[in-house]
Amino acid sequence: MRLNEFDMIGENVNALSDNLQQQNFQIQMQDERLSLMVDSMILGVLLIESDRRITLANPAVYHILSIDESVISKTFTSVLTSFRLIQMIEKSFKDRVPLNEEIYLYHPKEMVLDVNVIFVDDHDNDEMNEQVIVLIYDITDIRRLEKIRTDFIANASHELKTPVTALQGFSETLLEGAIDDKDTAIEFVKIMNKESKRLNQLIADILDLAKIEQDQVGHHLEPIDLQMAVDEVVQQVQMEADKKGIHLSTVNAVGSEIIFNSEKGLLNQIITNLVNNAINYTDEKGNVTIVIDDLENNVQIQVIDTGIGIPEDDLPRIFERFYRVSKSRSTSSGGTGLGLSIVRNIVQSLGGRIDVMSQLNEGSEFRVLLPKNTEE
Ligand code: ADP
């Protein structure tokens, strides 16, 4: 072989080696990208080999199944606790098929998971090269929201039916002849009037809730004088309070103007709802006091009454839609059970919070904190 032939072979070997190096580098890059992608997915991923050992798992699956890196190289049956999930993986290996199912977990917490099990076949029927990829999507929140929605529709339909049935019943009785007896007719029409007002209130409340939830309330913040906002509500409800001989008063804890940025209409709705409740659920001659305060980043509004109070067992639920402590105590006041859930929704949409303290037969205190938004 001549010298230049050696050179040529040498050059070819060098080029080949460069090429290989480059390919290696590219494979390594792709590997890194792939593992970065798997690691940052919200989808839980498990890779299980034919010997039933887990060879890959991502942070999402650790979080969803409350497991950790120690599961790597262990058999899936020894680390997974969901019987259904284990069954799915086994079935996929056995029948060499992909599977999709919604499964429920009860431990360590209740969860609904959408599980996809994918059987990976290498086509040469070598069992040793078979793998199963498990993809887990946590759909607990989606299912919870769906349930809230269907419960809401069921409750709303039920609540709307009550006044409608009353209106139908009384109007039919009137048409069947009761209209000729003037006293009965007047009594029935009064009931119909009350029920139609209730219906109207219900529809208005439901629309309010829908509007707040769809976040249709654009936040047009404007400077508000809290004392003036409270005075406006007091003016609106004073007559109601007077009728029951209830003493309605306002206290400014700082003694100077409290100015902050918020949405006037929504603030009015919060205070009106709370003060109306305080008047409704306070017996004759009681007291309703509104205390306003200026805290560092928030303003505070307390509505305190000396009314009938709320039983301890009901306290955690009073902000739920349609929840009423007892039907009798609020239907006599025309309540829909939506007032407080509307208030809580508004408060939260304004970035604030609401708390309640109450003692049965002693009174209740609702406390609202709203951000001042002064820095904006
Ligand atoms: P409602 O329209 O029935 O008043 P809300 O959502 O406003 O509905 O209130 C839920 C329940 O909480 C009411 O049924 C009532 O029993 C109770 N509640 C609300 N505010 C007060 C209060 N200030 N004092 C006593 N009970 C109250």
Side-chain angles (χ1 to χ4, degrees):
M1 212 180 278
R2 287 187 217 116
L3 201 63
N4 62 348
E5 281 179 336
F6 274 119
D7 284 350
M8 270 169 66
I9 292 171
E11 269 170 28
N12 279 339
V13 169
N14 278 343
L16 210 65
S17 131
D18 279 354
N19 215 331
L20 265 174
Q21 234 174 5
Q22 211 171 352
Q23 275 182 14
N24 255 340
F25 179 69
Q26 270 173 355
I27 290 171
Q28 208 181 330
M29 282 264 291
Q30 268 171 359
D31 257 10
E32 274 169 20
R33 272 190 212 141
L34 205 67
S35 60
L36 188 72
M37 206 173 81
V38 172
D39 279 356
S40 43
M41 280 194 326
I42 54 161
L43 202 65
V45 181
L46 280 177
L47 180 67
I48 302 167
E49 303 294 333
S50 54
D51 64 359
R52 309 304 194 249
R53 285 178 200 284
I54 298 171
T55 48
L56 186 147
N58 70 343
V61 88
Y62 297 146
H63 178 73
I64 296 170
L65 298 179
S66 299
I67 50 178
D68 56 35
E69 294 91 342
S70 66
V71 300
I72 301 293
S73 335
K74 288 190 183 146
T75 58
F76 73 90
T77 44
S78 67
V79 292
L80 301 181
T81 50
S82 160
F83 178 64
R84 193 66 206 123
L85 185 56
I86 292 175
Q87 264 188 334
M88 280 179 80
I89 301 169
E90 275 302 356
K91 187 172 165 50
S92 180
F93 269 123
K94 190 166 143 274
D95 300 344
R96 307 163 67 83
V97 286
L99 297 167
N100 170 236
E101 214 176 284
E102 206 169 293
I103 66 171
Y104 292 83
L105 287 196
Y106 299 97
H107 296 290
K109 57 179 178 184
E110 257 180 62
M111 277 183 147
V112 190
L113 306 178
D114 182 13
V115 179
N116 269 292
V117 179
I118 303 155
F119 179 77
V120 185
D121 192 359
D122 70 340
H123 298 295
D124 64 3
N125 268 340
D126 179 357
E127 259 189 38
M128 289 310 288
N129 289 326
E130 288 169 3
Q131 289 173 323
V132 157
I133 299 170
V134 185
L135 301 177
I136 304 177
Y137 187 37
D138 180 2
I139 53 170
T140 316
D141 284 344
I142 297 172
R143 289 290 175 266
R144 191 175 49 79
L145 288 175
E146 279 171 3
K147 185 168 179 332
I148 290 175
R149 191 161 302 152
T150 48
D151 283 356
F152 178 71
I153 292 169
N155 281 329
S157 318
H158 176 78
E159 294 292 330
L160 289 169
K161 232 175 129 185
T162 317
V164 170
T165 309
L167 283 172
Q168 207 176 357
F170 284 107
S171 58
E172 273 169 16
T173 318
L174 281 173
L175 288 172
E176 279 160 15
I179 200 160
D180 297 328
D181 175 353
K182 199 175 170 207
D183 288 345
T184 313
I186 288 175
E187 197 193 324
F188 281 14
V189 172
K190 272 186 185 164
I191 298 174
M192 287 168 66
N193 184 256
K194 194 175 152 213
E195 291 298 331
S196 58
K197 278 186 183 155
R198 205 174 127 65
L199 192 60
N200 204 17
Q201 184 62 48
L202 255 172
I203 293 168
D205 281 358
I206 290 171
L207 289 178
D208 259 356
L209 258 184
K211 213 160 64 180
I212 300 158
E213 289 196 346
Q214 286 166 13
D215 220 14
Q216 281 181 359
V217 278
H219 292 296
H220 310 295
L221 303 183
E222 55 182 319
I224 294 174
D225 180 328
L226 188 53
Q227 180 72 60
M228 275 168 69
V230 169
D231 287 348
E232 227 171 82
V233 176
V234 169
Q235 259 180 13
Q236 289 163 13
V237 300
Q238 189 68 59
M239 240 169 67
E240 247 354 90
D242 288 346
K243 264 196 229 163
K244 289 180 80 177
I246 287 174
H247 181 241
L248 188 58
S249 59
T250 313
V251 175
N252 180 338
V254 283
S256 56
E257 268 189 343
I258 302 175
I259 309 284
F260 73 119
N261 291 318
S262 198
E263 191 156 345
K264 229 178 207 159
L266 296 179
L267 177 69
N268 182 283
Q269 229 176 326
I270 296 170
I271 307 172
T272 306
N273 259 299
L274 294 178
V275 177
N276 268 331
N277 272 353
I279 295 172
N280 274 336
Y281 300 110
T282 297
D283 292 331
E284 309 256 321
K285 307 263 180 297
N287 288 315
V288 171
T289 315
I290 307 161
V291 184
I292 55 173
D293 202 350
D294 192 350
L295 308 179
E296 201 177 338
N297 297 314
N298 299 295
V299 298
Q300 181 175 273
I301 306 151
Q302 286 158 286
V303 179
I304 306 164
D305 65 58
T306 57
I308 58 175
I310 300 160
E312 207 182 326
D313 287 350
D314 295 292
L315 266 184
R317 301 198 56 192
I318 55 164
F319 294 102
E320 287 176 21
R321 295 149 166 187
F322 297 111
Y323 191 81
R324 285 177 293 206
V325 171
S326 77
K327 250 191 160 139
S328 60
R329 68 144 92 176
S330 59
T331 35
S332 60
S333 65
T336 60
L338 286 173
L340 285 180
S341 70
I342 292 175
V343 168
R344 187 174 62 174
N345 269 308
I346 298 177
V347 170
Q348 287 174 347
S349 84
L350 290 174
R353 55 174 290 181
I354 180 164
D355 295 301
V356 58
M357 283 181 289
S358 186
Q359 197 87 45
L360 196 59
N361 301 321
E362 305 252 317
S364 311
E365 175 182 333
F366 286 85
R367 191 181 56 175
V368 176
L369 281 177
L370 290 176
K372 285 198 212 162
N373 301 311
T374 38
E375 69 286 351
E376 280 163 42

